[in-house]
PDB file of all heavy atoms in Angstrom:
ATOM      1  N   LEU A 354      -1.397  -5.692  -4.608  1.00 85.00           N
ATOM      2  CA  LEU A 354      -1.136  -7.135  -4.612  1.00 85.00           C
ATOM      3  C   LEU A 354       0.317  -7.419  -4.946  1.00 85.00           C
ATOM      4  O   LEU A 354       0.927  -6.704  -5.716  1.00 85.00           O
ATOM      5  CB  LEU A 354      -2.039  -7.817  -5.641  1.00 85.00           C
ATOM      6  CG  LEU A 354      -3.526  -7.730  -5.328  1.00 85.00           C
ATOM      7  CD1 LEU A 354      -4.332  -8.390  -6.429  1.00 85.00           C
ATOM      8  CD2 LEU A 354      -3.866  -8.345  -3.999  1.00 85.00           C
ATOM      9  N   ARG A 355       0.810  -8.336  -4.316  1.00 78.00           N
ATOM     10  CA  ARG A 355       0.287  -9.370  -3.500  1.00 78.00           C
ATOM     11  C   ARG A 355       0.584  -9.125  -2.037  1.00 78.00           C
ATOM     12  O   ARG A 355      -0.203  -9.510  -1.169  1.00 78.00           O
ATOM     13  CB  ARG A 355       0.902 -10.676  -4.003  1.00 78.00           C
ATOM     14  CG  ARG A 355       0.691 -11.877  -3.188  1.00 78.00           C
ATOM     15  CD  ARG A 355       1.211 -13.082  -3.859  1.00 78.00           C
ATOM     16  NE  ARG A 355       2.595 -13.223  -3.547  1.00 78.00           N
ATOM     17  CZ  ARG A 355       3.177 -14.377  -3.328  1.00 78.00           C
ATOM     18  NH1 ARG A 355       2.489 -15.476  -3.436  1.00 78.00           N
ATOM     19  NH2 ARG A 355       4.428 -14.436  -3.048  1.00 78.00           N
ATOM     20  N   ALA A 356       1.671  -8.504  -1.717  1.00 82.00           N
ATOM     21  CA  ALA A 356       2.088  -8.345  -0.325  1.00 82.00           C
ATOM     22  C   ALA A 356       1.146  -7.458   0.491  1.00 82.00           C
ATOM     23  O   ALA A 356       1.060  -7.610   1.702  1.00 82.00           O
ATOM     24  CB  ALA A 356       3.512  -7.805  -0.255  1.00 82.00           C
ATOM     25  N   GLY A 357       0.420  -6.565  -0.145  1.00 86.00           N
ATOM     26  CA  GLY A 357      -0.531  -5.732   0.591  1.00 86.00           C
ATOM     27  C   GLY A 357      -1.651  -6.532   1.217  1.00 86.00           C
ATOM     28  O   GLY A 357      -2.219  -6.135   2.236  1.00 86.00           O
ATOM     29  N   GLU A 358      -1.969  -7.691   0.621  1.00 88.00           N
ATOM     30  CA  GLU A 358      -3.009  -8.564   1.181  1.00 88.00           C
ATOM     31  C   GLU A 358      -2.654  -9.066   2.575  1.00 88.00           C
ATOM     32  O   GLU A 358      -3.547  -9.392   3.355  1.00 88.00           O
ATOM     33  CB  GLU A 358      -3.242  -9.772   0.280  1.00 88.00           C
ATOM     34  CG  GLU A 358      -4.038  -9.478  -0.953  1.00 88.00           C
ATOM     35  CD  GLU A 358      -4.274 -10.737  -1.767  1.00 88.00           C
ATOM     36  OE1 GLU A 358      -3.299 -11.449  -2.074  1.00 88.00           O
ATOM     37  OE2 GLU A 358      -5.444 -10.988  -2.098  1.00 88.00           O
ATOM     38  N   THR A 359      -1.372  -9.121   2.900  1.00 86.00           N
ATOM     39  CA  THR A 359      -0.956  -9.610   4.213  1.00 86.00           C
ATOM     40  C   THR A 359      -1.452  -8.709   5.329  1.00 86.00           C
ATOM     41  O   THR A 359      -1.527  -9.131   6.476  1.00 86.00           O
ATOM     42  CB  THR A 359       0.581  -9.725   4.303  1.00 86.00           C
ATOM     43  OG1 THR A 359       1.161  -8.424   4.199  1.00 86.00           O
ATOM     44  CG2 THR A 359       1.139 -10.631   3.214  1.00 86.00           C
ATOM     45  N   MET A 360      -1.814  -7.489   5.005  1.00 91.00           N
ATOM     46  CA  MET A 360      -2.262  -6.521   6.010  1.00 91.00           C
ATOM     47  C   MET A 360      -3.783  -6.500   6.154  1.00 91.00           C
ATOM     48  O   MET A 360      -4.306  -5.891   7.084  1.00 91.00           O
ATOM     49  CB  MET A 360      -1.725  -5.141   5.634  1.00 91.00           C
ATOM     50  CG  MET A 360      -0.204  -5.130   5.514  1.00 91.00           C
ATOM     51  SD  MET A 360       0.448  -3.624   4.822  1.00 91.00           S
ATOM     52  CE  MET A 360       0.599  -2.675   6.322  1.00 91.00           C
ATOM     53  N   GLU A 361      -4.495  -7.173   5.268  1.00 92.00           N
ATOM     54  CA  GLU A 361      -5.959  -7.159   5.295  1.00 92.00           C
ATOM     55  C   GLU A 361      -6.567  -7.754   6.565  1.00 92.00           C
ATOM     56  O   GLU A 361      -7.492  -7.160   7.126  1.00 92.00           O
ATOM     57  CB  GLU A 361      -6.530  -7.851   4.060  1.00 92.00           C
ATOM     58  CG  GLU A 361      -6.381  -7.056   2.794  1.00 92.00           C
ATOM     59  CD  GLU A 361      -6.946  -7.776   1.575  1.00 92.00           C
ATOM     60  OE1 GLU A 361      -7.548  -8.871   1.728  1.00 92.00           O
ATOM     61  OE2 GLU A 361      -6.779  -7.244   0.467  1.00 92.00           O
ATOM     62  N   PRO A 362      -6.106  -8.925   7.052  1.00 92.00           N
ATOM     63  CA  PRO A 362      -6.732  -9.485   8.253  1.00 92.00           C
ATOM     64  C   PRO A 362      -6.684  -8.535   9.455  1.00 92.00           C
ATOM     65  O   PRO A 362      -7.671  -8.410  10.181  1.00 92.00           O
ATOM     66  CB  PRO A 362      -5.931 -10.768   8.520  1.00 92.00           C
ATOM     67  CG  PRO A 362      -5.399 -11.157   7.176  1.00 92.00           C
ATOM     68  CD  PRO A 362      -5.110  -9.842   6.483  1.00 92.00           C
ATOM     69  N   ALA A 363      -5.564  -7.876   9.662  1.00 92.00           N
ATOM     70  CA  ALA A 363      -5.455  -6.942  10.785  1.00 92.00           C
ATOM     71  C   ALA A 363      -6.387  -5.748  10.599  1.00 92.00           C
ATOM     72  O   ALA A 363      -7.040  -5.302  11.548  1.00 92.00           O
ATOM     73  CB  ALA A 363      -4.011  -6.470  10.935  1.00 92.00           C
ATOM     74  N   LEU A 364      -6.467  -5.242   9.375  1.00 93.00           N
ATOM     75  CA  LEU A 364      -7.356  -4.115   9.102  1.00 93.00           C
ATOM     76  C   LEU A 364      -8.813  -4.508   9.332  1.00 93.00           C
ATOM     77  O   LEU A 364      -9.582  -3.767   9.946  1.00 93.00           O
ATOM     78  CB  LEU A 364      -7.157  -3.613   7.671  1.00 93.00           C
ATOM     79  CG  LEU A 364      -7.987  -2.396   7.270  1.00 93.00           C
ATOM     80  CD1 LEU A 364      -7.635  -1.186   8.130  1.00 93.00           C
ATOM     81  CD2 LEU A 364      -7.784  -2.088   5.799  1.00 93.00           C
ATOM     82  N   MET A 365      -9.194  -5.701   8.873  1.00 93.00           N
ATOM     83  CA  MET A 365     -10.577  -6.163   9.053  1.00 93.00           C
ATOM     84  C   MET A 365     -10.890  -6.447  10.524  1.00 93.00           C
ATOM     85  O   MET A 365     -12.030  -6.313  10.948  1.00 93.00           O
ATOM     86  CB  MET A 365     -10.846  -7.398   8.199  1.00 93.00           C
ATOM     87  CG  MET A 365     -10.876  -7.079   6.712  1.00 93.00           C
ATOM     88  SD  MET A 365     -11.352  -8.474   5.664  1.00 93.00           S
ATOM     89  CE  MET A 365     -10.107  -9.687   6.036  1.00 93.00           C
ATOM     90  N   ALA A 366      -9.885  -6.823  11.313  1.00 93.00           N
ATOM     91  CA  ALA A 366     -10.097  -7.055  12.738  1.00 93.00           C
ATOM     92  C   ALA A 366     -10.389  -5.746  13.472  1.00 93.00           C
ATOM     93  O   ALA A 366     -11.157  -5.715  14.432  1.00 93.00           O
ATOM     94  CB  ALA A 366      -8.881  -7.746  13.352  1.00 93.00           C
ATOM     95  N   VAL A 367      -9.783  -4.677  13.010  1.00 92.00           N
ATOM     96  CA  VAL A 367      -9.969  -3.373  13.641  1.00 92.00           C
ATOM     97  C   VAL A 367     -11.206  -2.656  13.099  1.00 92.00           C
ATOM     98  O   VAL A 367     -11.960  -2.036  13.846  1.00 92.00           O
ATOM     99  CB  VAL A 367      -8.705  -2.491  13.438  1.00 92.00           C
ATOM    100  CG1 VAL A 367      -8.928  -1.082  13.945  1.00 92.00           C
ATOM    101  CG2 VAL A 367      -7.507  -3.133  14.112  1.00 92.00           C
TER     102      VAL A 367
END
Side-chain angles (χ1 to χ4, degrees):
L354 295 178
R355 170 174 86 142
E358 284 182 308
T359 65
M360 303 171 87
E361 287 179 5
L364 182 62
M365 290 186 301
V367 174

